């Protein structure tokens, strides 16, 4: 979860987020090298008393500074395209969850099981427990199994919303009248927090997301208890 002390990306808790972190570092390294090179050349031009008459009107240098940026862009584009395909790739999901955005709360349906659906509201500050997180805790968490491919189908009932969990590398728009889908695969058990990332009205800041991932055997028990109680 992001705190006031974070100056970088969140720790990754899914393979996709790990790849996004690697791509961020890869791109940042290329940008840093370009910045240093351009800064060095600029300083040399400012403080050098000599002038090369072929520098500003030479065919060779123009070919170089046209081809070189193109090659650099390819080094950025190929990993980016690979990531885009990985984000959309869903192979035989073990579980499907439908997420519906409302003003201003989320509702969830476990499509593979009958009668498992609930609304998820933010817990007001005056009702929080002592160890709760202000503006982030909810009354009903999403329960998911670890090390399983989860398909999430996202839509909205009223206006545009955006279902976002940064530590899992998930950000997908909830659009009225349209179904968008993404996938989640968590590496470890834990609590993962997110929020709506599309300005959707006056209470936009008060519709958080909490995912609780547990081992598969405990998830099966949770499903069994919910089916018996419904």
């Amino acid at each position: 979860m992001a705190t006031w002390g974070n100056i970088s990306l969140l720790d990754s808790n899914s393979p996709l987020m790990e790849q996004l972190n690697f791509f961020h570092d890869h791109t940042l390294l290329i940008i840093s090298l370009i910045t240093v090179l351009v800064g060095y050349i600029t300083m040399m031009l400012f403080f050098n008393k000599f002038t090369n008459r072929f520098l500003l009107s030479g065919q060779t240098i123009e070919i170089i500074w046209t081809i070189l940026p193109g090659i650099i862009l390819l080094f950025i584009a190929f990993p980016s395209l690979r990531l885009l395909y990985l984000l959309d790739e869903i192979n035989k999901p073990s579980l499907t969850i439908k997420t519906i955005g409302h003003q201003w709360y989320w509702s969830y349906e476990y499509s593979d099981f009958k009668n498992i659906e609930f609304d998820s509201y933010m817990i007001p500050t005056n009702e929080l427990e002592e160890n709760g997180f202000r503006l982030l805790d909810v009354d009903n968490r999403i329960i998911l199994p670890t090390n399983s491919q989860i398909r999430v189908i996202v839509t909205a009932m009223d206006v545009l919303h955006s279902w976002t969990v940064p530590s899992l590398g998930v950000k997908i728009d909830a659009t009225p009248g349209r179904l968008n889908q993404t996938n989640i695969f968590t590496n470890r058990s834990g609590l993962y927090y997110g929020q709506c990332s599309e300005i959707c009205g006056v209470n936009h800041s008060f519709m958080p997301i909490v995912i609780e991932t547990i081992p598969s055997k405990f998830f099966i028990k949770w499903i069994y208890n919910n089916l018996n109680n419904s």
Side-chain angles (χ1 to χ4, degrees):
M1 184 182 69
T3 64
W4 63 269
N6 279 106
I7 59 173
S8 184
L9 299 174
L10 297 179
D11 292 336
S12 57
N13 291 292
S14 72
L16 288 177
M17 189 58 190
E18 286 180 5
Q19 293 298 317
L20 287 169
N21 281 346
F22 292 151
F23 178 67
H24 170 268
D25 296 340
H26 168 78
T27 309
L28 197 62
L29 177 62
I30 292 175
I31 292 172
S32 301
L33 291 174
I34 293 172
T35 304
V36 170
L37 178 62
V38 171
Y40 173 76
I41 293 173
T42 304
M43 295 299 289
M44 289 296 292
L45 289 173
F46 271 124
F47 296 105
N48 193 351
K49 296 179 181 179
F50 301 100
T51 301
N52 186 339
R53 63 192 178 94
F54 296 110
L55 181 63
L56 300 178
S57 60
Q59 294 293 329
T60 305
I61 192 68
E62 288 181 7
I63 292 172
I64 292 173
W65 69 40
T66 301
I67 293 178
L68 192 58
I71 295 173
I72 294 172
L73 286 175
L74 289 178
F75 275 98
I76 297 174
F78 285 141
S80 176
L81 290 173
R82 173 177 169 271
L83 263 179
L84 284 175
Y85 280 104
L86 283 176
L87 289 170
D88 286 337
E89 188 176 359
I90 302 175
N91 294 321
K92 297 181 180 178
S94 353
L95 182 67
T96 298
I97 292 179
K98 186 175 181 181
T99 302
I100 305 169
H102 304 263
Q103 288 181 314
W104 288 271
Y105 64 95
W106 296 98
S107 60
Y108 301 98
E109 300 174 8
Y110 286 72
S111 304
D112 299 316
F113 306 99
K114 190 177 180 181
N115 297 330
I116 300 184
E117 55 186 56
F118 53 86
D119 297 331
S120 181
Y121 290 87
M122 185 192 76
I123 300 176
T125 305
N126 59 350
E127 297 178 13
L128 271 179
E129 297 180 1
E130 189 176 349
N131 59 347
F133 293 105
R134 177 178 171 271
L135 303 182
L136 284 177
D137 268 320
V138 296
D139 53 359
N140 290 311
R141 296 170 176 169
I142 311 165
I143 308 297
L144 297 178
T146 56
N147 298 317
S148 300
Q149 192 78 24
I150 314 295
R151 176 171 54 192
V152 183
I153 298 174
V154 183
T155 187
M157 289 296 291
D158 33 52
V159 299
L160 283 174
H161 300 275
S162 185
W163 197 76
T164 305
V165 185
S167 63
L168 300 180
V170 175
K171 184 181 186 297
I172 183 167
D173 288 340
T175 309
R178 177 172 177 172
L179 295 177
N180 292 328
Q181 71 173 11
T182 187
N183 69 94
I184 294 176
F185 186 97
T186 55
N187 294 331
R188 57 185 72 87
S189 301
L191 289 176
Y192 308 117
Y193 293 88
Q195 289 177 305
C196 177
S197 297
E198 186 75 39
I199 297 177
C200 56
V202 65
N203 287 334
H204 158 69
S205 302
F206 308 116
M207 47 185 301
I209 302 156
V210 182
I211 296 177
E212 181 177 352
T213 56
I214 56 178
S216 298
K217 60 179 180 180
F218 297 115
F219 176 75
I220 293 170
K221 285 184 181 179
W222 181 81
I223 291 290
Y224 180 77
N225 290 336
N226 276 272
L227 289 174
N228 286 339
N229 293 333
S230 60

